[in-house]
Amino acid sequence: METRFRSDLIQWLRDDVTLAAGLNAIEEESPLTASPPWLGLSASAAIDWGAKGAPGREVRVALELIDRQQDSSATADFAAAIETRIATMPATQDGYRVVVTQFLRSRAERRANNLRAVLLEYRFRLLANP
C-alpha cells in the first residue's frame, strides 16, 4: 500500500498546474539532472494501522523542496502550493482510501550555493478498499 500511495501522491502533485509550471521536476527521489526548483519525496516509512475488519497503513512521508532564489517568498509560495495540493488529494484511490492527512512539521534552511531547502513532513492513514 505504501508504494502505491507514494506513486499516487507524486502523480497528484505533478498534475497540479501551478506546481508543474513552476518546478523543474517532481520525483519520488531527488532528481539527478534537474536544476532547482524541484520537489522530491526524500523519505517514507509505514507501520501497520487499521480499523476493525479493515487493514491499513500509516505512512509518513518527507518531501524536500529545493529552490535557488534570492527572495525566500518565492520558495514559501511553492511550499504553500504543495501544502494546498496535498490537502486536496482525493480520499478514494485505487485499492485504498486516505482517511487521515496530517501535516506534521516543516523545516527550512539555507544551503551552500544559494540553495534554499524546505522539508515538509506528513502522516497519512490509509485503509484498504474492501
Side-chain angles (χ1 to χ4, degrees):
M1 201 176 308
E2 175 190 3
T3 302
R4 179 175 285 184
F5 172 74
R6 286 172 54 110
S7 295
D8 291 344
L9 177 61
I10 290 300
Q11 191 59 52
W12 178 248
L13 292 167
R14 284 179 182 153
D15 290 344
D16 183 75
V17 175
T18 303
L19 294 176
L23 298 174
N24 292 323
I26 301 173
E27 301 295 333
E28 273 200 68
E29 302 294 335
S30 299
L32 298 176
T33 59
S35 60
W38 56 260
L39 179 68
L41 198 157
S42 60
S44 70
I47 60 171
D48 187 42
W49 180 87
K52 190 174 187 177
R57 293 284 185 273
E58 179 178 295
V59 180
R60 292 186 180 210
V61 299
L63 296 159
E64 187 173 43
L65 171 64
I66 302 295
D67 199 3
R68 180 176 281 131
Q69 301 283 338
Q70 290 292 334
D71 181 11
S72 64
S73 65
T75 307
D77 290 344
F78 279 131
I82 292 163
E83 290 182 34
T84 299
R85 185 66 174 173
I86 288 172
T88 62
M89 185 174 180
T92 303
Q93 299 290 326
D94 185 25
Y96 65 92
R97 293 187 320 264
V98 180
V99 294
V100 174
T101 298
Q102 183 180 15
F103 172 81
L104 295 175
R105 64 183 171 172
S106 66
R107 183 182 74 206
E109 66 183 25
R110 185 80 181 245
R111 294 185 181 166
N113 300 320
N114 202 30
L115 287 178
R116 294 182 184 277
V118 177
L119 188 72
L120 302 166
E121 294 183 35
Y122 282 86
R123 175 176 70 179
F124 300 89
R125 288 187 172 167
L126 316 173
L127 288 175
N129 286 338

